[in-house]
Amino acid sequence: MEWETVIGLEIHAQLATRSKIFSGSATAYGAAPNTQANLVDLGYPGVLPVLNVEAVRMAIRFGLATGARIARRSVFARKNYFYPDLPKGYQISQYERPVVEDGSLEIVLDDGTRKSIGITRAHLEEDAGKSLHEDFHGLSGIDLNRAGTPLLEIVSEPDLRSAKEAVAYMKKIHTLVRYLGICDGNMQEGSFRCDANVSVRPQGQPEFGTRAEIKNLNSFRFVERAINYEVERQIELVESGGKVVQETRLYDPDRGETRPMRSKEEANDYRYFPDPDLLPLAIDDAMIESARAGLPELPDEKAARFVRDFGLSDYDAGVLTSSRELADYYETVVGRLGGQPKLAANWVMGELSGALNKDNLEVAQSRVGAESLAGLLARIADDTISGKIAKDVFEAMWTEGRDADAIIEAQGLRQITDTSAIERAIDEVMTGNPRQLAEYRAGKDKLFGFFVGQVMKATQGKANPAQLNELLKRKLGG
Amino acid sequence: MRRRARKPRNLTIAATFGKARCMICVGFFPSREPFSMSLTRAQVEAIAHLARLQITEAQMPVYVDSLSRIIDFVEQLSAADTSGVDPMAHPLADQVQRLRPDEVTEADRHEKFQHNAPSVAAGLYLVPKVIE
Amino acid sequence: MSLHTQSVAELAAGLASRQYSSLELTLHFLGRIERLGPDLNAFVTVTADRALEDARRADATRARGEGGRLTGVPIAQKDIFCTDGVLTTCSSRMLSTFVAPYDATVVERWKAAGTVLLGKTNMDEFAMGSSNETSFYGPVKNPWDPARVPGGSSGGSAAAVAACLVPAASGTDTGGSIRQPAALTNLTGIKPTYGRVSRYGMIAFASSLDQAGVLARSAEDAALLLGAMAGFDPRDSTSVDVPVPDYAAELGTSLEGLRVGVIREFFDKGLDPAVGALVQAALDVLRARGATIREVSLPALPLSVPTYYVVAPAECSSNLSRFDGVRFGHRCDSPRDLRDLYERSRGEGFGDEVKRRIMTGTYVLSAGYYDAYYLKAQKVRQLIAADFARAFAEVDVVAGPTSPTAAFGLGAKTSDPITMYLNDIYTIGANLAGLPAISIPCGFVTEGGRDLPAGLQLVGPHFSESRLLAASHQYQQLTDWHRRVPPGFE
């Protein structure tokens, strides 16, 4: 039996507004418990919600960036259920008439093909607070700082057919919301959360199978593993005569498996109805055009431009545009270098990214700025140092914070490009290694590398490799 | 400040089961059965759970009866011809939601708010353990 | 004439001309409340210390030559308005220890106008009721006959003002809770257009129906006090940004040419004929002064009560979910688990009528029933609003009785919820359509050897409060029903 996997993702992106969606409380992460929860956030008797304009603008930007329809009138609805982190006993969300509908996003699969993934809707809603379970002797502690933070819930069509596609889509959304400046994408802090709806069906069957929802996956790796596990589980279940139950499950990263959530014993009847405390949200052409005018160059556009203008491969362009900060860094380097886009690409994707990852830093926190890196690359381009030496220089720049020229000077790392100096070194090595010389001339070609190595050693690695190769070939040839 | 002494509440509903005084006439005052069971006990229990309201065994029949009467009463609406009519979202038809600027306007007043809270520790509201 | 039978307008003049101080006035009313209040049970909290502070401040303000017309005038607030530092209970066990941490906009504005807060008045629990018999603190008595109800849910405010324990008080009206008690206690009660007065700080019952308003002894007083509470509030998204007219200045508009539509559907078999006769007589007075009276028909109006009893419970079932024993309000002892915390805190905290309405609301919103009940009711509501709009194309105001009967006996209607609900039959339509409406005294019927007041109701198009108040004021120049004080309270 051939099985097909069907996945839809629901992504909750916390919008990067200064204040909450319905109150003027701050949204900054990490404040002491309940110090950023005012009467509205706490659901006190008599208080009322008032909508934050920036949350609306951010939703519009997302809609425009995904080619979606922006609703001219959308409605806020109450989703009613009881939970301690939900102070009013209902969440203000959008139900029948969301602000954004019918968008799409293109992902690139492993084999390079492109696939369009539908975005059914994106709507505005408020986040709930947090429950803390430790330290309270059988009690939970509720912190409502997060209650009322604006969320954009982004719902995909069930167009995804594998865990890899799901991750590609999730990464694309992650990049996009950061490009748009609407969400910081920080999954550790909970600003970007993903639920996956997973089902399987026999290949060729038009009806969807029963789906299970896996909640709160907060890393790309977990999403991939959880989906793979869940698909396996469902297939095994059905193949052994069982039926998939529609339920909510949690992913346990330690065990690498999904489990049903204990607290949701029965399906909740949310009793959605339009929130009478809020009037319909009206969005006019002026607001949409203003948002459109303020859109940055989007990731796909930028990647295409990199391919076109810098001659980069799709893959390289994709990596370099995976964040706006990285793309801007790269362009600054190329700009300063006045060319050499491929050299710059290799270094940004290679040494720079490696150093950032090792020290767990964001691009913005890089210890070597774009201008500085350009300075180093210029010295490779003008043959002052070799690429190999440059890597050492870079490391020194990273740890010491000095620029390339200062380090090259201080350590005397200039390449030797003087032909006669190189020839002299070659002559010495040839004289000092008569046996290898004879063997090479007798036909043992691979000894060429030996001679390269010896000359490099003799010149402390500073011989210009291209010149060395040419001269060595000539001299060894006899 | 002086407060009124609490008086016991009036639970005469059970006592006059089926013998309610009513005004019977057409228009505003539809005729009614003296006893109604349009809602079952199971339904009322389910509703009470959804609404997180504890209803005691003794109270249950009273609630089943009164809720049934109410649902019977509002059943009149089904006869109204509302074809082509939109539901009223707001009494003031042309009003749209006001948008407020994205500014932080609130200071931390959690001590004042938590002064009278039923159960608080380390700034957190305490509840029986929430099981995930 | 004694201090306590004077109108707000008269007291304002007296304060301005230094006939007496606000402190004297306040002490006088506090004394009356102490003597006469307990039997009526009109107050949940008497804020004596605060009142004296307010009064002294008002006197100092006047001494500096500052302040406005209402500076120093004592008032009471229905216990549904959050009052900073003061117990705010909604007459419910759920909030019996709740000291509000902020002022409702209504409280802020009357305070800013210089009024003196005498106390928080008793009400039906969470504003759900038409007789003030669902209060956790016991029923309120009607000063006209203590064996009868004052109406509800603003029964405490009505009784207090009618008994001259306070010159005026705030109320709220979701289905008639200002107008019906006004009619049953011989007061002028106005519910403004939806959105005219801010709901911020007014503990919500049914969000799309609730409005704050005034109970006073005359239209002029109502005009003064409504003017001081009305106006746009950015904290309430449903608050309308429309300028507030100077209602008091516009009271002189004559009745000449006023087109009055008498609602045919109101003069039905359920109406007490004696009340009907008084309303007809009141219309005759208007006619004699140049108003034209004609009949109008609002055919969807008979569905207003069932419509209301779907929409209001639906909204309240959600609004009251915040009362869960976690952050404020009543919490049960030793909750076993989360479910127990919710079910017992709420089961203990709420009275029967509140629980009934929460459950009704939960039911009509639940899966499978939403379309048949809630959605249907909101459509019928549209029909009712359309009926009024059609009528207002032909007439300036529509008129009828406020209540089908005069005040009924305590316990007379508590056996069957529907019987109680039908008290609001004439008032609910205005709430459903968001229209302003006023009830004014139009005479007395006699029952059980007692004179019991009846009310004439006028309903106008959106933002026509000036016209309603002016017409009422003109009527009150021609009649003196509104001046009568219940025996024993003169």
Side-chain angles (χ1 to χ4, degrees):
Chain A
M1 167 79 89
E2 284 292 309
W3 291 98
E4 181 176 48
T5 302
V6 175
I7 303 159
L9 291 188
E10 282 170 20
I11 292 171
H12 289 88
Q14 255 182 22
L15 296 179
T17 53
R18 283 194 287 267
S19 63
K20 295 187 179 178
I21 188 171
F22 295 117
S23 81
S25 297
T27 53
Y29 184 83
N34 291 305
T35 54
Q36 284 176 188
N38 77 343
L39 294 169
V40 176
D41 309 323
L42 292 168
Y44 259 65
V47 298
L48 296 167
V50 187
L51 183 58
N52 182 332
V53 67
E54 195 57 31
V56 178
R57 290 194 190 121
M58 289 183 173
I60 295 173
R61 296 218 286 272
F62 181 81
L64 291 173
T66 53
R69 195 171 58 242
I70 315 286
R72 290 302 201 262
R73 283 274 192 284
S74 64
V75 174
F76 286 96
R78 294 188 184 180
K79 179 179 182 181
N80 296 280
Y81 64 96
F82 284 89
Y83 208 65
D85 65 6
L86 193 68
K88 296 187 293 296
Y90 60 87
Q91 177 197 30
I92 301 177
S93 177
Q94 294 190 296
Y95 185 56
E96 285 176 340
R97 293 174 55 189
V99 59
V100 166
E101 277 185 299
D102 292 339
S104 66
L105 209 57
E106 208 174 61
I107 57 172
V108 181
L109 307 178
D110 279 348
D111 63 0
T113 54
R114 291 170 180 271
K115 180 172 176 179
S116 177
I117 306 297
I119 296 173
T120 317
R121 52 186 277 154
H123 69 252
L124 289 167
E125 60 183 25
E126 55 178 351
D127 208 346
K130 279 197 192 146
S131 313
L132 299 161
H133 306 301
E134 315 82 34
D135 302 338
F136 292 112
H137 317 294
L139 300 172
S140 294
I142 309 296
D143 174 12
L144 295 167
N145 280 349
R146 200 181 67 175
T149 304
L151 293 177
L152 187 67
E153 178 173 334
I154 302 163
V155 182
S156 82
E157 291 285 330
D159 290 345
L160 301 160
R161 293 287 173 270
S162 70
K164 284 221 183 301
E165 286 187 15
V167 172
Y169 168 81
M170 188 177 165
K171 283 186 171 169
K172 203 73 193 282
I173 298 273
H174 188 253
T175 299
L176 182 62
V177 298
R178 286 178 304 134
Y179 257 72
L180 293 170
I182 66 177
C183 175
D184 69 12
N186 188 326
M187 288 187 268
Q188 284 71 37
E189 289 181 0
S191 13
F192 190 85
R193 317 195 284 257
C194 182
D195 299 338
N197 289 302
V198 182
S199 67
V200 297
R201 65 183 173 189
Q203 196 78 252
Q205 175 182 297
E207 300 84 31
F208 290 131
T210 309
R211 66 169 200 255
E213 183 185 13
I214 313 172
K215 282 197 94 58
N216 274 338
L217 298 159
N218 62 3
S219 83
F220 299 121
R221 200 165 46 242
F222 288 175
V223 168
E224 186 162 3
R225 288 190 194 155
I227 291 175
N228 282 329
Y229 174 86
E230 182 60 21
V231 168
E232 281 295 304
R233 182 190 79 86
Q234 289 190 13
I235 291 174
E236 266 174 42
L237 182 58
V238 177
E239 281 185 339
S240 62
K243 270 178 138 179
V244 176
V245 173
Q246 181 168 339
E247 62 186 348
T248 308
R249 300 175 73 88
L250 282 181
Y251 178 67
D252 181 343
D254 300 321
R255 290 216 181 109
E257 59 186 31
T258 65
R259 292 197 305 276
M261 274 180 85
R262 253 180 292 147
S263 63
K264 314 263 174 176
E265 334 120 0
E266 72 281 305
N268 246 315
D269 180 353
Y270 294 120
R271 289 157 279 138
Y272 283 99
F273 71 104
D275 192 331
D277 288 332
L278 292 164
L279 298 176
L281 171 60
I283 294 174
D284 61 13
D285 287 346
M287 210 173 171
I288 294 178
E289 289 321 305
S290 162
R292 199 192 300 279
L295 285 179
E297 184 182 33
L298 298 179
D300 283 355
E301 292 163 12
K302 206 188 278 288
R305 181 165 63 80
F306 281 13
V307 168
R308 205 175 52 239
D309 293 354
F310 300 138
L312 300 178
S313 67
D314 280 345
Y315 177 81
D316 287 359
V319 173
L320 288 169
T321 57
S322 65
S323 88
R324 209 165 147 186
E325 291 77 28
L326 192 65
D328 288 349
Y329 186 103
Y330 171 73
E331 279 201 90
T332 305
V333 172
V334 173
R336 275 291 260 120
L337 266 182
Q340 306 276 353
K342 293 219 170 91
L343 177 67
N346 289 340
W347 272 80
V348 171
M349 292 193 305
E351 298 304 304
L352 176 76
S353 294
L356 289 171
N357 283 340
K358 186 154 146 277
D359 289 354
N360 213 8
L361 295 173
E362 299 294 324
V363 175
Q365 302 160 304
S366 173
R367 300 217 176 101
V368 173
E371 315 267 341
S372 288
L373 182 61
L376 172 63
L377 299 185
R379 291 292 163 263
I380 301 176
D382 66 15
D383 275 337
T384 306
I385 52 173
S386 68
K388 190 162 180 296
I389 297 279
K391 289 189 182 172
D392 297 333
V393 176
F394 179 81
E395 218 182 288
M397 286 166 75
W398 188 267
T399 41
E400 296 167 34
R402 287 189 294 161
D403 68 31
D405 283 346
I407 293 170
I408 291 170
E409 210 50 55
Q411 297 186 21
L413 295 173
R414 286 175 168 279
Q415 263 189 143
I416 298 170
T417 50
D418 173 9
T419 315
S420 44
I422 298 178
E423 284 189 348
R424 262 201 308 281
I426 292 174
D427 289 338
E428 275 175 36
V429 165
M430 281 167 64
T431 313
N433 295 280
R435 182 173 62 82
Q436 287 88 341
L437 183 57
E439 285 178 9
Y440 178 80
R441 282 185 172 153
K444 207 166 179 188
D445 288 335
K446 64 182 180 185
L447 281 175
F448 189 84
F450 167 78
F451 283 102
V452 171
Q454 289 299 306
V455 177
M456 278 298 188
K457 209 161 93 177
T459 60
Q460 289 111 32
K462 289 189 279 191
N464 178 298
Q467 282 172 289
L468 166 56
N469 267 356
E470 206 200 299
L471 293 167
L472 192 58
K473 236 190 294 220
R474 214 173 351 110
K475 282 192 173 261
L476 288 177
Chain B
M1 290 189 212
R2 186 166 46 86
R3 212 183 300 165
R4 292 304 312 143
R6 288 168 202 172
K7 305 261 172 84
R9 245 139 355 118
N10 196 350
L11 286 174
T12 56
I13 299 157
T16 53
F17 206 78
K19 292 187 184 158
R21 242 181 71 196
C22 57
M23 293 185 247
I24 301 180
C25 58
V26 283
F28 274 112
F29 300 87
S31 66
R32 259 172 311 113
E33 302 303 312
F35 185 86
S36 169
M37 286 301 283
S38 63
L39 291 183
T40 63
R41 187 195 160 113
Q43 280 178 301
V44 174
E45 281 174 353
I47 293 166
H49 175 59
L50 262 184
R52 299 298 187 271
L53 294 171
Q54 182 187 68
I55 308 291
T56 65
E57 192 53 48
Q59 293 171 317
M60 193 49 87
V62 178
Y63 276 100
V64 173
D65 176 63
S66 49
L67 288 173
S68 295
R69 283 176 197 274
I70 295 168
I71 298 306
D72 281 353
F73 175 68
V74 304
E75 212 56 60
Q76 297 171 61
L77 292 176
S78 58
D81 180 8
T82 53
S83 41
V85 179
D86 286 330
M88 178 184 279
H90 286 277
L92 299 168
D94 302 323
Q95 296 287 315
V96 293
Q97 177 62 33
R98 201 177 70 81
L99 300 172
R100 67 163 228 279
D102 182 24
E103 283 160 8
V104 175
T105 55
E106 299 293 319
D108 169 24
R109 290 192 293 156
H110 81 279
E111 271 163 33
K112 177 172 183 179
F113 300 156
Q114 291 184 346
H115 188 60
N116 276 323
S119 182
V120 168
L124 295 158
Y125 295 97
L126 298 181
V127 296
K129 204 168 184 75
V130 171
I131 303 170
E132 284 286 277
Chain C
M1 182 152 117
S2 41
L3 282 176
H4 51 268
T5 53
Q6 292 190 36
S7 69
V8 168
E10 284 160 347
L11 291 173
L15 287 164
S17 61
R18 312 306 189 90
Q19 274 177 59
Y20 36 74
S21 66
S22 177
L23 188 60
E24 281 175 64
L25 212 52
T26 300
L27 286 166
H28 179 75
F29 281 107
L30 286 173
R32 278 181 71 79
I33 292 172
E34 182 144 1
R35 277 193 327 278
L36 305 163
D39 286 340
L40 293 175
N41 200 21
F43 283 87
V44 174
T45 304
V46 179
T47 52
D49 294 337
R50 154 82 177 258
L52 296 173
E53 257 174 56
D54 287 351
R56 287 192 185 99
R57 193 183 314 116
D59 285 333
T61 303
R62 281 204 185 265
R64 286 197 303 274
E66 291 163 13
R69 207 159 157 192
L70 295 172
T71 303
V73 172
I75 49 93
Q77 296 278 7
K78 183 174 180 179
D79 210 12
I80 197 172
F81 293 103
C82 286
T83 312
D84 196 359
V86 178
L87 200 63
T88 299
T89 68
C90 281
S91 288
S92 177
R93 183 178 179 193
M94 180 59 83
L95 293 178
S96 55
T97 56
F98 178 68
V99 175
Y102 72 109
D103 276 337
T105 300
V106 162
V107 172
E108 268 180 10
R109 292 193 178 179
W110 274 10
K111 185 171 165 182
T115 61
V116 172
L117 178 66
L118 294 185
K120 309 295 292 296
T121 59
N122 203 350
M123 49 185 279
D124 274 308
E125 187 181 2
F126 281 106
M128 301 182 200
S130 310
S131 64
N132 219 130
E133 291 176 284
T134 68
S135 167
F136 176 59
Y137 299 105
V140 175
K141 317 288 178 54
N142 190 325
W144 294 90
D145 179 349
R148 293 177 190 257
V149 304
S153 64
S154 310
S157 284
V161 176
C164 306
L165 305 186
V166 66
S170 62
T172 62
D173 190 312
T174 305
S177 295
I178 287 176
R179 292 163 286 153
Q180 185 252 20
L184 268 48
T185 56
N186 204 50
L187 295 180
T188 299
I190 182 162
K191 176 200 90 69
T193 309
Y194 184 82
R196 176 79 282 184
V197 178
S198 170
R199 291 187 299 115
Y200 184 78
M202 190 174 116
I203 298 176
F205 160 21
S207 315
S208 74
L209 301 166
D210 293 344
Q211 264 297 282
V214 185
L215 287 117
R217 287 204 291 281
S218 70
E220 182 179 24
D221 287 0
L224 285 168
L225 287 156
L226 182 64
M229 69 159 58
F232 176 65
D233 180 4
R235 293 174 295 190
D236 174 4
S237 294
T238 60
S239 168
V240 179
D241 196 354
V242 163
V244 182
D246 185 346
Y247 297 125
E250 299 182 8
L251 292 170
T253 310
S254 118
L255 288 168
E256 183 74 42
L258 181 72
R259 299 171 302 163
V260 180
V262 175
I263 302 175
R264 178 200 303 165
E265 286 78 9
F266 278 2
F267 288 82
D268 214 329
K269 290 183 193 153
L271 174 62
D272 180 329
V275 171
L278 290 173
V279 170
Q280 292 293 1
L283 295 170
D284 290 341
V285 170
L286 299 179
R287 188 186 285 112
R289 281 301 170 145
T292 57
I293 318 283
R294 46 169 285 192
E295 194 181 68
V296 293
S297 174
L298 277 61
L301 211 50
L303 288 172
S304 53
V305 182
T307 302
Y308 176 85
Y309 280 100
V310 169
V311 175
E315 293 181 4
C316 93
S317 71
S318 181
N319 284 331
L320 268 60
S321 294
R322 66 193 63 203
F323 299 106
D324 56 11
V326 175
R327 300 164 311 292
F328 48 79
H330 175 74
R331 176 188 276 225
C332 61
D333 286 332
S334 317
R336 287 188 307 276
D337 53 36
L338 200 57
R339 179 168 165 171
D340 189 43
L341 171 71
Y342 290 146
E343 291 186 348
R344 263 197 305 135
S345 299
R346 292 163 60 78
E348 291 167 8
F350 294 134
D352 288 327
E353 183 59 35
V354 171
K355 287 195 279 235
R356 251 196 299 279
R357 295 203 194 187
I358 290 174
M359 289 200 277
T360 303
T362 304
Y363 179 73
V364 302
L365 288 175
S366 62
Y369 297 105
Y370 178 87
D371 284 1
Y373 292 105
Y374 185 78
L375 204 58
K376 183 75 177 178
Q378 291 284 51
K379 291 182 180 181
V380 176
R381 190 173 170 182
Q382 197 79 271
L383 292 178
I384 293 168
D387 276 1
F388 274 108
R390 243 190 322 274
F392 289 132
E394 317 274 310
V395 299
D396 301 315
V397 301
V398 297
T402 305
S403 171
T405 63
F408 45 91
L410 288 158
K413 298 195 183 185
T414 50
S415 55
D416 173 15
I418 308 300
T419 315
M420 187 63 79
Y421 296 166
L422 291 171
N423 283 303
D424 292 328
I425 224 154
Y426 303 138
T427 48
I428 279 178
N431 301 88
L432 293 173
L435 301 168
I438 193 169
S439 177
I440 51 178
C442 66
F444 289 81
V445 301
T446 308
E447 276 180 40
R450 300 266 191 164
D451 285 345
L452 301 172
L456 166 72
Q457 186 186 198
L458 302 175
V459 183
H462 293 130
F463 300 108
S464 64
E465 288 83 357
S466 278
R467 173 174 271 145
L468 294 176
L469 288 162
S472 303
H473 178 71
Q474 292 305 315
Y475 177 80
Q476 288 175 349
Q477 306 298 93
L478 303 164
T479 59
D480 61 3
W481 305 118
H482 62 290
R483 290 189 204 284
R484 275 180 60 174
V485 173
F489 293 95
E490 302 91 343

